[in-house]
Amino acid sequence: MGSTSESIPLRLRTKRGLDPPQLSHLSPVQKLRIMEIIIPIAAVLILWLLFTWSIKVFKASITTFLAIAAIVILLQIVFNISSEQILQELISLVERLKKLILGN
């Protein structure tokens, strides 16, 4: 074992091949134990953030869906406009916006 970096497990080495200064005074076994504690905690934290984010996206999607459904039902009841007419107008609007943006 010629160099210090060879005695350190590969998964604890940084890109430079040396330990971070905060962990340099610990033995390789102690560093491994610390990493075995930190990695699951970080994974749980990341999963929690993803879960809360997905709940927010789901709530926003449901709210948007309910708003669209309410508008369509209101148009059908009050103005006797069918959902097919609304869909045709939406397609026409998208085509007009496409022509306006692309200049065709």
Side-chain angles (χ1 to χ4, degrees):
M1 297 206 341
S3 73
T4 310
S5 65
E6 290 176 1
S7 64
I8 301 168
L10 183 61
R11 59 187 249 195
L12 293 179
R13 294 184 199 167
T14 63
K15 289 181 182 177
R16 295 177 302 198
L18 301 173
D19 285 339
Q22 301 85 354
L23 301 178
S24 61
H25 66 284
L26 300 174
S27 73
V29 173
Q30 289 172 324
K31 292 174 191 173
L32 193 58
R33 286 183 183 153
I34 289 172
M35 296 303 280
E36 288 175 350
I37 293 170
I38 291 174
I39 292 173
I41 291 172
V44 167
L45 179 64
I46 291 170
L47 285 175
W48 176 254
L49 292 171
L50 287 172
F51 176 73
T52 56
W53 171 78
S54 63
I55 294 296
K56 289 178 185 178
V57 169
F58 180 73
K59 285 181 181 179
S61 299
I62 292 297
T63 303
T64 304
F65 172 76
L66 291 175
I68 291 171
I71 291 170
V72 169
I73 291 171
L74 181 73
L75 288 171
Q76 288 177 345
I77 293 173
V78 175
F79 298 107
N80 200 22
I81 298 174
S82 69
S83 56
E84 290 82 17
Q85 289 173 312
I86 296 170
L87 187 59
Q88 287 174 354
E89 186 60 33
L90 285 173
I91 292 170
S92 172
L93 180 64
V94 169
E95 288 174 358
R96 284 184 269 163
L97 286 174
K98 182 180 171 184
K99 285 181 184 178
L100 180 68
I101 293 172
L102 298 177
N104 291 339

